[in-house]
Amino acid sequence: MRAWVHTSPQLPLEKGMTLVENEPYPSDPLRPNEILVKVKSIAVNPADPTFAELGWPGKAFIKPNPIPGMDFSGEVVSTGSNATSLKPGDRVFGRIDTEKGKPGSMAEYTKAEIEGCVPIPPGVEWDHAAGIGTAAITAYESLVLNSISGDSVFINGGTGGVGTFAIQFAKAHGCRVTVSCSTTKVDLCKELGADEVIDYRSVDLVSTLKGKGKASNDFLTNGATFVMVPGGVSGALIKTLSKNMLCPSMLGGGKAKFKPYFAKSNRAAFQQISEWMAAGKVRTVIDSVFEFENMPKAIERIKSGRSTGKERPWYIEN
């Protein structure tokens, strides 16, 4: 089968990946909870190059596979003995835990666990379904599982993959949403349902948040929670986590309840997201589409910082 493989791991992913025409088909027997999928579309996530290019201490925690890619949509080919809710021919979307060393989605065929894979809602196209994956599960678990209907939430950066889903999930969950973004993205945030949009290019964001009682540490309301979605494993991240989780506030640690979030598959969450999409409450915001052969260009683009947000998904048609 055709697959993109990080054949030169000493190089950045976009320069060290090769389109292999005869990569072995995943022919090993499926585990009970696994499914084999013919990939139709891939959403490139910023974590894909992050994992592939990890140095120390990152590799002590994450074991990247040479075939990258977490998010996908596709058609079920076969199922393990316990994956009884799916059958060959079903249209599905989901994500793969590549940080555990499993082959990713940048191939014609991939294996996924049933915990990270559900049917595509009727009327949702392959590309839109592929973009749900990691960005959506991050938004769901970091926001929905830490809030209740009626809460006010602040989303710092509303136009990335996580941010666009977070706005929509918060509204579907019954929350009031304040979000930050740049001037050119204000209309998009409003379109997605944000109640209040703060243009950080025209006002001082921190001062504005202090005045409204929203944000971390000094300007969170009493009893509120600061949920952090790390961008990758690094020394700076470990320092931030240690400061906020272990260091008392009197010694410079965080003053509010602090929760770091790392994406993991959650079938119940994916099912809820699927229901919201079927009901028209949630949609995937697509930024750009690339052909499968142009995977390095997609990686370059998402690493360039020119996308509208940190977790903006980019699509590869396969």
Side-chain angles (χ1 to χ4, degrees):
M1 68 174 183
R2 303 171 79 211
W4 281 98
V5 181
H6 197 193
T7 51
S8 300
Q10 74 276 12
L11 296 176
L13 181 58
E14 71 276 15
K15 297 183 181 300
M17 64 194 315
T18 302
L19 180 55
V20 177
E21 298 288 342
N22 58 349
E23 180 69 14
Y25 176 87
S27 58
D28 292 342
L30 293 172
R31 295 179 180 178
N33 293 324
E34 285 184 331
I35 62 171
L36 178 63
V37 177
K38 179 175 175 57
V39 177
K40 296 291 187 179
S41 184
I42 304 156
V44 178
N45 190 285
D48 293 329
T50 297
F51 287 167
E53 298 167 13
L54 278 176
W56 296 100
K59 287 186 177 179
F61 302 95
I62 294 174
K63 310 296 183 184
N65 189 280
I67 300 178
M70 293 184 289
D71 302 335
F72 69 91
S73 64
E75 186 176 290
V76 175
V77 176
S78 57
T79 65
S81 58
N82 291 344
T84 55
S85 61
L86 296 173
K87 64 182 184 303
D90 282 350
R91 299 171 72 248
V92 294
F93 73 86
R95 67 181 300 275
I96 302 164
D97 290 319
T98 54
E99 69 275 14
K100 297 178 181 179
K102 298 180 179 180
S105 60
M106 294 184 186
E108 289 184 310
Y109 293 87
T110 192
K111 289 181 180 179
E113 293 185 353
I114 190 68
E115 183 66 15
C117 190
V118 298
I120 297 175
V124 176
E125 298 178 354
W126 294 118
D127 288 348
H128 289 82
I132 301 170
T134 301
I137 204 68
T138 299
Y140 186 94
E141 291 202 323
S142 60
L143 190 151
V144 176
L145 299 188
N146 288 289
S147 63
I148 60 174
S149 179
D151 279 352
S152 292
V153 300
F154 168 64
I155 300 167
N156 187 23
T159 58
V162 174
T164 53
F165 280 121
I167 293 171
Q168 297 174 87
F169 293 172
K171 295 305 297 180
H173 193 47
C175 297
R176 175 175 172 78
V177 179
T178 300
V179 63
S180 67
C181 69
S182 62
T183 308
T184 58
K185 302 301 178 183
V186 169
D187 288 342
L188 173 60
C189 289
K190 291 180 178 179
E191 179 186 334
L192 294 174
D195 298 289
E196 183 177 7
V197 182
I198 302 174
D199 176 4
Y200 63 79
R201 294 191 183 278
S202 63
V203 300
D204 182 82
L205 178 61
V206 173
S207 298
T208 302
L209 289 170
K210 282 184 177 180
K212 297 177 180 295
K214 303 181 181 76
S216 64
N217 292 340
D218 290 337
F219 21 91
L220 267 178
T221 55
N222 291 333
T225 301
F226 174 38
V227 181
M228 176 186 180
V229 180
V233 179
S234 65
L237 170 63
I238 293 173
K239 181 179 179 180
T240 298
L241 295 179
S242 299
K243 177 181 177 181
N244 285 279
M245 297 178 71
L246 303 176
C247 186
S249 60
M250 67 182 66
L251 299 178
K255 298 178 182 179
K257 185 177 181 181
F258 177 84
K259 287 186 178 181
Y261 173 77
F262 296 90
K264 59 184 182 299
S265 296
N266 181 334
R267 194 162 202 267
F270 277 140
Q271 289 173 328
Q272 176 62 79
I273 293 167
S274 179
E275 290 176 10
W276 281 339
M277 294 191 82
K281 295 180 179 181
V282 171
R283 64 181 176 88
T284 305
V285 178
I286 294 182
D287 201 272
S288 186
V289 178
F290 295 85
E291 295 296 328
F292 185 69
E293 292 77 11
N294 292 329
M295 188 74 73
K297 291 184 178 179
I299 300 295
E300 286 178 357
R301 177 66 176 173
I302 205 167
K303 290 175 66 177
S304 70
R306 296 194 298 271
S307 58
T308 57
K310 176 175 173 292
E311 292 284 344
R312 195 70 158 196
W314 298 83
Y315 298 84
I316 309 294
E317 293 182 335
N318 191 1

